[in-house]
Amino acid sequence: MIKFIKIVATTLTLIISFTAQAQTESGKASFYSKSSSGRRTASGERLHHDSLTCAHRTYPFGTLLLVTNPANGNHVIVKVIDRGPYVKGRVIDLSHRAAKELGIIAQGIAPVIVEEFNESVIPFKPAEVFSKPELDLSTSDGDAATPIWVELNQQMKLKKQQEHKEKKKR
């Protein structure tokens, strides 16, 4: 009977922990100071204030998280490289750059929404933030531009055809 209770308790714990990670979290975020750059994190990587990284208690190292500031709508994708925060009420510690992009530097601590991010075209940035610029490849006179090597190739072909015609006439 005791084995059965242990198995049920372990199973429930695993189910709760895995479903908790799939959902969104909301709470307070803080950020690392610039002076903490260079120190080793729990994953073994070195912290740098210009990287888009974070500390989270439960997500595995390397997981990409979408962090949104509901006050201004700014969002950023960060990579989990450390454990923490260990202060009650806080859900995430951000790098200085991530906090700057969210607009929470002046506040120090701000409410955020954290969710796992799976589809990233460009690492650490959401795809909808980027728009590809339209390139105007037309020439100023409006004609379609042809590369010089194409024009030279055409001229050489015409010259060979003319030489071939002259040989036939002889």
Side-chain angles (χ1 to χ4, degrees):
M1 184 68 176
I2 294 175
K3 282 185 177 180
F4 177 74
I5 293 173
K6 286 182 180 179
I7 292 172
V8 169
T10 304
T11 306
L12 286 174
T13 304
L14 288 173
I15 291 172
I16 290 170
S17 67
F18 285 121
T19 56
Q21 285 186 356
Q23 299 172 358
T24 61
E25 285 181 283
S26 59
K28 293 179 182 177
S30 56
F31 60 92
Y32 292 107
S33 68
K34 283 187 176 181
S35 63
S36 60
S37 281
R39 77 168 181 85
R40 288 213 182 263
T41 61
S43 67
E45 292 184 44
R46 291 204 180 268
L47 184 66
H48 193 272
H49 66 274
D50 278 336
S51 61
L52 293 173
T53 56
C54 71
H56 195 275
R57 286 188 206 115
T58 57
Y59 281 104
F61 295 133
T63 303
L64 298 179
L65 301 177
L66 176 65
V67 183
T68 306
N69 183 351
N72 58 16
N74 291 350
H75 54 274
V76 68
I77 295 177
V78 293
K79 179 180 167 186
V80 178
I81 64 164
D82 201 5
R83 290 289 171 235
Y86 296 109
V87 177
K88 188 176 181 180
R90 295 192 197 163
V91 294
I92 196 166
D93 276 335
L94 300 167
S95 65
H96 195 272
R97 179 167 172 217
K100 185 176 180 181
E101 290 196 18
L102 287 174
I104 64 173
I105 295 289
Q107 297 166 300
I109 298 170
V112 293
I113 299 169
V114 179
E115 53 192 317
E116 189 173 0
F117 188 77
N118 293 324
E119 302 172 20
S120 182
V121 176
I122 300 172
F124 311 118
K125 283 286 196 176
E128 66 269 6
V129 171
F130 290 101
S131 60
K132 295 179 183 174
E134 292 187 28
L135 301 176
D136 184 16
L137 300 176
S138 62
T139 59
S140 58
D141 59 3
D143 294 337
T146 55
I148 188 71
W149 62 269
V150 173
E151 291 178 17
L152 291 173
N153 196 12
Q154 289 172 348
Q155 289 175 2
M156 287 175 55
K157 283 182 182 180
L158 287 173
K159 189 174 181 180
K160 285 183 181 180
Q161 288 175 354
Q162 289 173 353
E163 289 175 3
H164 187 61
K165 285 181 183 179
E166 287 178 13
K167 283 183 182 180
K168 281 187 177 182
K169 287 182 182 178
R170 293 183 192 170

